[in-house]
Amino acid sequence: MIIAIDGPSGAGKSTLGKMLAKRFDLLYLDTGAMYRAVALAVTRAGVPFWDVDRIAEIAETARIDLIGEPDAMKVFLDDDDVSAEIRTLDAAQAASVVSTISEVRRIMVEHQRAIGMAAPNGCVLEGRDIGSVVFPKADIKFFLTAEPEARAHRRFAEDQAKGRISTYEQTLAEINERDERDVSREDSPLTIADDAMVLDTSELSLNEVFEQMAAKVRARQSAAA
Ligand code: DC
C-alpha cells in the first residue's frame, strides 16, 4: 500500500502522515527531510546555490538516512544526526531552493521509490510531488491544504513552543515565499494530482481530518481484500 500525501508547508502533512503510518503499521517517509539534508550538506560544503553541478554531485554522494519510529524519527547526514539542524528556517528556505534543481530531484525521487517499494507493509510518503511524480500510481493520494494564515498560525505556535525567535508576520512571509517557489518551479511543481482527495485543514480539527483519511484507507483495504 502506497499512500501519497502532498500539500504546501504547514498543512499538517507530517502530523497526519505519522498518525496514518502508526494506525496502519506502514513506513513513514518525510521526503522534505531529504531535501533539507541535501541543502544542509550544500551549506556545510560552502557551495553557492548557483553551482548546480556541484550541488548535484553532493546530492549523489551524500548519505541520507531516516531512522526510527515516525514520532521519533532521526535524520542522519553521513552518520551525523542532523534532525534538529534541518528544522531551522534557513534550512527550510535552502531546501526549497535546492529542490528546484532537476538533477537533485531525480536522485531524491529514485531513493524515495526504492524506500517505498522495499517497505514490507507499504509506505506513507509526504512531500510536494509524491502523487504526481514519485508514485503516480499510489493506492491513495491525499492533498492537504489550508489558508496561508492558518498554516502560519500553526507554524508560529510550533516555533514558539520550541523557543524559536520569530514573529507571526515573519512566519507568514516565509510560508508565502516558500509556497511561491514550490508551485512555480519548472520541475515537479506542487500540484494537485487528478485523483487526489483534497482536504482543507483550515477549519477542521486534526482528528476530523485524520478520521476522513483513515476511512479512505480502510475502504481501500476492504476493496483489495
Ligand atoms: O516538507 P518540507 O517543508 O520539509 O520541505 C522542504 C522543502 O523541500 C520544500 O519547500 C520543498 C521541497 N520539497 C520538494 O520539493 N519535494 C518534496 N517531495 C518534498 C519537499
Side-chain angles (χ1 to χ4, degrees):
M1 159 100 60
I2 295 287
I3 301 178
I5 307 181
D6 291 301
S9 152
K13 300 186 301 294
S14 301
T15 311
L16 288 155
K18 287 174 187 174
M19 286 165 80
L20 269 191
K22 278 200 287 184
R23 169 76 66 91
F24 295 98
D25 193 23
L26 303 167
L27 184 77
Y28 165 72
L29 185 62
D30 172 358
T31 63
M34 298 173 72
Y35 288 98
R36 285 169 184 258
V38 171
L40 183 62
V42 169
T43 312
R44 282 183 173 181
V47 173
F49 287 131
W50 53 260
D51 196 342
V52 173
D53 292 342
R54 279 183 71 199
I55 293 176
E57 212 176 290
I58 289 173
E60 185 79 63
T61 52
R63 231 190 53 240
I64 299 164
D65 296 303
L66 279 71
I67 295 169
E69 292 300 307
D71 279 338
M73 181 155 292
K74 295 228 169 284
V75 181
F76 291 87
L77 171 63
D78 298 324
D79 293 327
D80 185 14
D81 182 354
V82 295
S83 314
E85 214 174 325
I86 60 164
R87 296 295 161 198
T88 63
L89 272 185
D90 285 349
Q93 289 292 359
S96 164
V97 175
V98 301
S99 68
T100 61
I101 301 170
S102 292
E103 191 56 12
V104 171
R105 300 203 71 81
R106 189 190 61 73
I107 296 160
M108 292 301 115
V109 168
E110 207 174 285
H111 285 317
Q112 291 155 14
R113 284 186 183 142
I115 295 168
M117 303 287 273
N121 294 336
C123 189
V124 177
L125 297 96
E126 61 112 330
R128 305 291 189 288
D129 61 340
I130 309 301
S132 55
V133 175
V134 184
F135 281 108
K137 293 201 170 124
D139 297 281
I140 304 174
K141 297 179 188 177
F142 294 110
F143 190 92
L144 297 182
T145 187
E147 295 303 322
E149 290 75 13
R151 292 187 279 124
H153 272 298
R154 242 176 251 157
R155 264 288 134 80
F156 180 58
E158 282 168 17
D159 286 350
Q160 296 284 93
K162 287 180 192 156
R164 284 198 201 124
I165 303 159
S166 61
T167 62
Y168 166 75
E169 286 71 25
Q170 275 172 338
T171 312
L172 180 61
E174 190 264 340
I175 279 198
N176 281 331
E177 187 186 329
R178 212 137 66 87
D179 280 359
E180 173 58 27
R181 202 180 291 121
D182 294 348
V183 300
S184 61
R185 68 173 175 235
E186 250 167 61
D187 190 341
S188 322
L190 174 65
T191 45
I192 307 177
D194 289 342
D195 46 351
M197 177 181 190
V198 181
L199 292 163
D200 188 324
T201 65
S202 311
E203 306 291 337
L204 298 170
S205 75
L206 207 62
N207 280 333
E208 285 169 322
V209 180
F210 178 66
E211 286 314 324
Q212 291 195 34
M213 295 172 88
K216 179 96 178 165
V217 178
R218 281 193 299 272
R220 175 74 203 203
Q221 283 179 327
S222 327

